[in-house]
Amino acid sequence: MIIGIDTSCYTTSVANIGAGGVLLNERRLMLQVKPGERGLRQSEAVFQHIQNFPQLMEGLQDVMPIRAIAASVRPRPVDGSYLPVFKVGASMGESLAHLLGVPFIATSHQEGHLRAGFFDREVPEGNFLAWHLSGGTTELLFVKATSEGFNIEKIGGSSDLQVGQFVDRIGVALGARFPAGVFLEGLAKQSDSTESLPVVTKDLTLSFSGPESAGKRLLNSGILPQELARRVFNCISQALIGVTLEAVERYEVDLVLFTGGVAANELIRTALLGEKKLQEVKLVFAPKELSGDNAVGVGLIGWDLFRNKHEA
């Protein structure tokens, strides 16, 4: 068994990966944000992660023997990438590995998202593009899968507000609790509007600060909540389509992966899959239940590396 651990900004999660890379089970607990707040300070998130681990680790002895522990120890696989929350999972993972006398495999939160995106299919050979769309990240990546994991180069993304922040800020302004993605999506499905908020894209870069301001002006002018919600997702879809088309042509790839919590949105998925100009490109979406933060991809990375080492 391989144990995967992920301690992101809003979720504590543990996954058990068995022989053949089969998911045996996974557990996760969302961190709690007070009503009216738009997020958590890192110190608050660290404290909640520490509180959550005893509950998530209960029954872990039932999946013995454990062959390795994998944990996301940083947000992205680049020098200087750091957030305090990931030190909790790293510390827990290393401690368990030392106690059990098994290897500790360090990876990143972003790589975990990419691997979870291919949970129900083979990781492709060669190059592909990937969108990592969440509350803390809006990045377009050029990726090459190797036996050692993923080689990742950031080639585009948001220049200011992250896509999940855009969704949450409009949702909270409409009275939702943070995080507001599910609330705003449900509201948007009550409208068939094709109208969008104005969004600017340039050279594989997009900006959501302008759409946020435009959305709040419409809210103050009395727009129906469901109409505003639909315009938010039409705006996001329009921006993603435009940048994806440009990137596919520039990098000459035929596969694009969409992962991260925002990528689970049905309206965005439908818009992307229905875009005629993208029909010749294979669009891959992480399973909805694995689009948000979880430890499954981290555990699968641990399994991949453990298997490759012992098959060599």
Side-chain angles (χ1 to χ4, degrees):
M1 313 298 174
I2 308 295
I3 302 298
I5 296 173
D6 186 59
T7 49
S8 67
C9 291
Y10 295 102
T11 308
T12 318
S13 49
V14 175
N16 304 331
I17 308 297
V22 174
L23 175 63
L24 300 178
N25 61 70
E26 63 109 359
R27 300 175 180 177
R28 67 183 92 166
L29 289 172
M30 290 287 294
L31 307 188
Q32 298 301 305
V33 180
K34 295 178 181 179
E37 297 290 328
R38 297 194 305 187
L40 287 172
R41 293 191 296 270
Q42 283 287 300
S43 58
E44 294 175 316
V46 166
F47 179 70
Q48 290 194 41
H49 280 311
I50 294 171
Q51 287 186 309
N52 286 343
F53 261 114
Q55 182 178 341
L56 292 179
M57 291 297 183
E58 186 177 354
L60 196 61
Q61 69 275 8
D62 296 335
V63 298
M64 297 290 189
I66 295 171
R67 300 301 187 191
I69 307 290
S72 55
V73 302
R74 55 183 176 168
R76 299 170 57 233
V78 296
D79 292 339
S81 181
Y82 170 78
L83 279 175
V85 285
F86 292 103
K87 297 300 284 186
V88 182
S91 177
M92 178 63 70
E94 286 193 79
S95 297
L96 282 173
H98 286 312
L99 179 65
L100 298 171
V102 299
F104 174 71
I105 298 169
T107 186
S108 72
H109 179 71
Q110 186 169 76
E111 290 169 287
H113 268 298
L114 296 182
R115 185 62 181 85
F118 296 109
F119 171 77
D120 52 1
R121 66 190 72 211
E122 290 292 323
V123 177
E125 296 181 359
N127 303 328
F128 63 93
L129 297 179
W131 278 103
H132 181 183
L133 305 168
S134 68
T137 307
T138 304
E139 294 186 350
L140 178 58
L141 311 169
F142 181 66
V143 187
K144 180 177 178 58
T146 73
S147 60
E148 299 299 319
F150 298 110
N151 289 334
I152 300 172
E153 176 188 358
K154 179 186 173 185
I155 60 172
S158 176
S159 61
D160 43 47
L161 201 64
Q162 307 303 334
V163 63
Q165 290 178 311
F166 174 36
V167 170
D168 287 329
R169 290 184 181 184
I170 297 296
V172 170
L174 287 169
R177 288 192 61 169
F178 180 96
V182 174
F183 167 85
L184 203 66
E185 180 178 1
L187 203 57
K189 289 180 178 178
Q190 300 174 29
S191 170
D192 294 323
S193 176
T194 58
E195 295 291 323
S196 174
L197 298 173
V199 59
V200 176
T201 64
K202 182 180 180 181
D203 193 29
L204 305 185
T205 300
L206 37 80
S207 169
F208 289 117
S209 60
E212 182 203 9
S213 298
K216 289 185 175 178
R217 286 195 297 271
L218 288 172
L219 181 60
N220 292 333
S221 67
I223 189 174
L224 292 174
Q226 60 267 33
E227 293 296 312
L228 175 57
R230 188 58 184 253
R231 290 191 187 195
V232 167
F233 292 115
N234 289 347
C235 166
I236 294 170
S237 301
Q238 178 182 317
L240 292 177
I241 288 170
V243 174
T244 300
L245 284 168
E246 183 179 350
V248 166
E249 181 177 356
R250 184 181 302 186
Y251 286 87
E252 299 180 336
V253 298
D254 57 7
L255 187 151
V256 184
L257 170 68
F258 294 84
T259 191
V262 178
N265 182 276
E266 290 184 12
L267 297 173
I268 295 175
R269 291 190 179 206
T270 299
L272 287 163
L273 291 170
E275 175 56 48
K276 292 182 179 179
K277 294 179 181 179
L278 287 173
Q279 294 299 311
E280 295 183 4
V281 182
K282 185 176 183 180
L283 305 183
V284 176
F285 294 87
K288 288 185 179 181
E289 66 275 13
L290 299 181
S291 291
D293 293 353
N294 63 84
V296 175
V298 173
L300 288 171
I301 288 172
W303 162 255
D304 292 341
L305 294 176
F306 183 83
R307 176 195 59 191
N308 291 341
K309 180 179 179 180
H310 287 79
E311 286 183 352

